[in-house]
């Protein structure tokens, strides 16, 4: 027993340390609320994937661009600060928001009740459609319900993965859109649920892709999540004001046309 | 303070909530650790060891063309990142018609990757056995295979043992990279649960603790093994 004592003590110390750390209240780094702090540092830290066209990707000149990247820039402009884009894997985006690394996630994040509990979500700015994609030679999947007992590829903790899980499918987790769709093409999984805009773009860029869309359905409204804390209300209100302005002057619809080839800014 | 309890209906204290999350997620993570991490580590290590011994023996025997081939393999494998190797094998190879499952890809890549490092360990250990023993073996009427099997390799293994243990520990941790090629392994599971629960720090720490547990057990096994080897060595000498 004596031999194991140091290990038990070390483990107890680690657990105690973590609990103490969690109990320390999050203190604001400086005076004022979230919005004031963003204005003070002069930049809005925007988290985005950077590899999910047409939402967020690197264009021909390798510069970061995309529907959400442009809107993120306009939000920063509206707040009177510079956009500071940080690229990270889908899975790290919301996690980084929570730990205060990012101010806002601009990455076509679907609004769900669960997410609204954890994050401060902006008003919806687009309403996407989602598609069910299978390999060209697949003849037996035609509906979301048809995924029961099948395997799909999707990003972890995405609403797409959740839909597949809810339908009774097994989900293999991939990190990027390209990986996700390749798994379907290669026949390693039978299907994927994804954003219509992204799949259309992929098919346009890869005309020989071994993929076909078997179903198009309305998706969730899309929002910009921000940190949920007592002092983000003014930031959320300001972001919503900027969004409604962009909506009113036709900028949102224009960007939607530019990136998705359709106006998706109205609820269907 | 309100930050952490947002979105939870229950009015329990925060410590209770976190404790509950930990106790609920621990068995889930451990399950993947036992179902995936441990078997994958053991299988890959076995493959790596087989590769390492083969490659080291070829180099020791100094067969010219094969030796070059071995150096080439070690050069490529040690000079490229494990993550890149995983991606090439899993996502890349299907383009030329080689489609391996995620488990098989992880097994092969981890095995051949660590195999390159262990091959160098084994080569060093083989070379540390005085060449005179080879000659002594021939004088005693043994053939090459007998000398290697009964004289050189056992001694080399003893020398290499601590370093091989090191490789095994590295292997256990490297299995977490298989998450990137769709393996539902322990770290991926921690990511998923952390997304569902909205807690990052605790879940990742929990996964870290489980890896630590596994590696601690390995360290004990390694020490035990070293003791046994020392005993055997004592009897022989």
């Amino acid at each position: 027993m004596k031999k194991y004592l140091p290990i038990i003590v070390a483990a107890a110390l680690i657990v105690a340390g973590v609990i103490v750390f969690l109990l320390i209240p999050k203190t604001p780094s400086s005076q004022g609320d979230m919005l004031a702090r963003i204005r003070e540092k002069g930049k809005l830290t925007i988290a985005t994937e950077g590899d999910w066209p047409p939402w967020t990707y690197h264009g021909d000149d390798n510069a970061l661009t995309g529907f959400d990247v442009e809107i993120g820039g306009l939000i920063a402009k509206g707040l009177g600060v510079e956009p500071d884009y940080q690229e990270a894997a889908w899975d790290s985006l919301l996690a980084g928001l929570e730990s205060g690394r990012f101010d806002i996630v601009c990455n076509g994040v679907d609004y769900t009740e669960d997410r609204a509990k954890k994050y401060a979500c902006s008003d919806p700015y687009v309403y996407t459609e989602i598609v069910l994609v299978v390999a060209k030679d697949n003849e037996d999947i035609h509906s979301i319900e048809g995924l029961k007992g099948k395997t799909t590829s999707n990003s972890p903790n995405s609403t797409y993965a959740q839909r597949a899980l809810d339908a009774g499918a097994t989900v293999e987790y991939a990190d990027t859109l390209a990986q996700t769709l390749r798994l379907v093409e290669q026949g390693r999984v039978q299907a994927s649920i994804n954003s219509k805009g992204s799949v259309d773009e992929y098919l346009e860029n890869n005309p020989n892709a071994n993929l076909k869309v078997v179903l198009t359905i309305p998706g969730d409204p899309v929002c910009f999540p921000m940190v949920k804390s007592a002092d983000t209300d003014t930031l959320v209100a300001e972001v919503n004001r900027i969004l409604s302005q962009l909506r009113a002057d036709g900028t949102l619809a224009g960007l939607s046309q530019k990136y998705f080839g359709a106006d998706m800014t109205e609820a269907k | 303070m309100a930050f952490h309890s947002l979105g939870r209906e229950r009015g329990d204290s925060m410590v209770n909530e976190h404790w509950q999350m930990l106790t609920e997620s621990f068995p889930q993570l451990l399950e993947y650790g036992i179902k995936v991490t441990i078997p994958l580590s053991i299988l890959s290590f076995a493959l790596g060891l087989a590769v390492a011994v083969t490659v080291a023996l070829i180099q020791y025997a100094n067969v010219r063309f094969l030796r070059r081939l071995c150096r080439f393999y070690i050069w490529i494998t040690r000079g490229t990142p494990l993550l890149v190797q995983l991606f090439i094998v899993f996502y890349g190879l299907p383009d030329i018609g080689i489609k391996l499952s995620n488990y098989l890809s992880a097994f092969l890549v981890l095995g051949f990757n660590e195999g390159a490092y262990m091959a160098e360990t084994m080569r060093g250990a083989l070379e540390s056995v005085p060449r005179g023993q080879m000659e002594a073996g021939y004088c005693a009427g043994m053939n090459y295979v007998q000398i290697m099997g009964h004289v050189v390799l056992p001694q080399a293994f003893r020398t290499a043992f601590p370093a091989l243990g090191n490789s095994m520990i590295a292997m256990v941790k490297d299995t977490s990279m298989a998450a990137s090629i769709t393996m539902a392994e322990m770290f991926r599971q921690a990511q998923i649960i952390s997304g569902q629960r909205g807690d990052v720090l605790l879940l990742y720490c929990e996964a870290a603790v489980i890896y630590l547990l596994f590696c601690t057990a390995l360290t004990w096994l390694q020490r035990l093994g070293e003791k046994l080897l020392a005993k055997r060595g004592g009897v022989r000498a």
Side-chain angles (χ1 to χ4, degrees):
Chain A
M1 199 56 213
K2 212 172 162 190
K3 233 170 96 185
Y4 304 108
L5 204 63
I7 292 149
I8 294 166
V9 170
L13 278 178
I14 291 171
V15 171
V18 169
I19 289 174
V20 167
F21 185 86
L22 287 163
L23 283 172
I24 299 170
K26 297 221 166 181
T27 43
S29 53
S30 62
Q31 297 302 308
D33 66 359
M34 190 77 178
L35 179 61
R37 286 201 300 280
I38 288 169
R39 289 204 163 123
E40 194 186 316
K41 68 176 177 173
K43 61 182 187 185
L44 178 71
T45 311
I46 299 172
T48 192
E49 261 183 291
D51 53 15
W52 191 39
W55 297 88
T56 160
Y57 63 102
H58 289 263
D60 294 334
D61 57 354
N62 206 27
L64 182 66
T65 183
F67 183 64
D68 268 25
V69 171
E70 280 209 41
I71 299 179
L74 291 171
I75 290 175
K77 199 174 153 201
L79 295 173
V81 295
E82 290 294 316
D84 169 27
Y85 298 103
Q86 300 286 331
E87 292 175 54
W90 160 254
D91 218 42
S92 326
L93 298 180
L94 293 174
L97 192 62
E98 212 160 333
S99 52
R101 259 172 225 289
F102 315 127
D103 297 323
I104 189 167
V105 176
C106 295
N107 204 78
V109 180
D110 285 352
Y111 176 93
T112 65
E113 275 179 21
D114 268 356
R115 283 181 185 158
K117 280 183 196 161
K118 288 183 215 152
Y119 314 105
C121 296
S122 73
D123 291 338
Y125 59 101
V126 282
Y127 302 82
T128 56
E129 286 177 303
I130 57 176
V131 289
L132 180 62
V133 198
V134 298
K136 270 184 180 150
D137 56 358
N138 185 309
E139 296 298 339
D140 61 339
I141 297 175
H142 304 281
S143 66
I144 301 284
E145 295 74 44
L147 291 175
K148 193 172 164 54
K150 308 282 193 225
T151 308
T152 74
S153 52
N154 278 111
S155 301
N157 299 317
S158 62
T159 50
Y160 307 141
Q162 195 55 49
R163 280 174 194 259
L165 289 171
D166 290 345
T170 310
V171 177
E172 298 230 323
Y173 295 105
D175 287 315
T176 69
L177 175 81
Q179 287 171 12
T180 304
L181 294 181
R182 281 185 69 92
L183 291 174
V184 181
E185 283 190 68
Q186 292 167 354
R188 289 174 142 143
V189 302
Q190 284 97 52
S192 177
I193 300 173
N194 221 293
S195 144
K196 179 173 187 298
S198 300
V199 172
D200 285 350
E201 174 109 359
Y202 185 88
L203 291 175
E204 198 172 303
N205 293 334
N206 304 277
N208 298 323
N210 176 29
L211 294 172
K212 65 179 178 187
V213 171
V214 287
L215 181 73
T216 306
I217 52 172
D220 297 300
V222 181
C223 69
F224 294 122
M226 287 158 270
V227 183
K228 188 160 197 163
S229 69
D231 68 352
T232 33
D233 293 352
T234 47
L235 173 66
V236 178
E238 193 61 13
V239 168
N240 283 338
R241 188 191 60 78
I242 296 165
L243 284 177
S244 64
Q245 206 176 343
L246 293 173
R247 183 182 288 277
D249 66 14
T251 311
L252 270 190
L255 286 174
S256 176
Q257 280 291 352
K258 173 177 168 188
Y259 285 102
F260 297 106
D263 181 3
M264 307 196 306
T265 59
E266 300 299 330
K268 289 192 183 72
Chain B
M1 289 292 272
F3 179 74
H4 282 287
S5 36
L6 274 169
R8 308 217 202 278
E9 269 94 38
R10 295 163 62 259
D12 290 4
S13 81
M14 245 164 49
V15 176
N16 267 343
E17 238 172 66
H18 287 303
W19 186 248
Q20 194 197 356
M21 187 182 68
L22 279 180
T23 48
E24 276 175 16
S25 55
F26 190 82
Q28 289 175 296
L29 289 185
L30 194 62
E31 185 196 334
Y32 277 88
I34 290 168
K35 263 182 10 193
V36 184
T37 306
I38 290 180
L40 183 61
S41 306
I42 292 174
L43 287 175
S44 304
F45 184 77
L47 173 67
L49 194 59
V51 170
V53 172
T54 313
V55 167
L57 281 179
I58 289 172
Q59 290 187 80
Y60 189 75
N62 218 349
V63 185
R64 198 142 182 218
F65 171 72
L66 287 178
R67 190 174 179 279
R68 284 241 174 102
L69 204 68
C70 291
R71 292 313 305 173
F72 181 75
Y73 152 69
I74 292 171
W75 173 62
I76 293 277
T77 315
R78 291 200 308 176
T80 53
L82 176 61
L83 188 63
V84 177
Q85 294 167 5
L86 282 169
F87 271 53
I88 289 175
V89 170
F90 185 73
Y91 289 110
L93 287 189
D95 280 359
I96 52 167
I98 304 171
K99 198 164 77 185
L100 306 173
S101 74
N102 49 15
Y103 202 103
L104 191 58
S105 306
F107 161 69
L108 289 176
V109 171
L110 285 171
F112 276 95
N113 182 283
E114 205 56 50
Y117 293 91
M118 292 197 287
E120 288 296 87
T121 304
M122 281 309 296
R123 186 172 64 93
L126 283 173
E127 281 167 5
S128 77
V129 179
R131 289 264 167 181
Q133 298 202 10
M134 191 70 118
E135 286 150 32
Y138 281 127
C139 291
M142 295 166 94
N143 63 28
Y144 186 80
V145 176
Q146 283 173 324
I147 298 171
M148 289 313 288
H150 293 292
V151 180
V152 179
L153 264 180
Q155 295 182 73
F157 261 118
R158 192 173 307 150
T159 312
F161 193 77
L164 293 179
N166 232 358
S167 292
M168 178 75 200
I169 288 172
M171 182 81 85
V172 170
K173 293 177 293 174
D174 283 348
T175 55
S176 62
M177 290 222 207
S180 62
I181 56 164
T182 76
M183 281 272 292
E185 52 72 68
M186 190 162 69
F187 182 59
R188 179 62 98 196
Q189 214 52 32
Q191 280 177 296
I192 291 168
I193 300 173
S194 112
Q196 289 162 348
R197 304 270 183 156
D199 199 304
V200 183
L201 179 66
L202 269 184
L203 253 308
Y204 289 171
C205 285
E206 199 173 17
V209 166
I210 298 179
Y211 282 112
L212 187 61
L213 281 178
F214 290 169
C215 292
T216 309
L218 278 176
T219 312
W220 283 341
L221 282 178
Q222 189 187 339
R223 217 173 292 157
L224 192 73
E226 278 171 35
K227 263 187 205 151
L228 287 177
L229 279 177
K231 244 187 218 162
R232 272 195 67 174
V235 171
R236 275 196 176 177

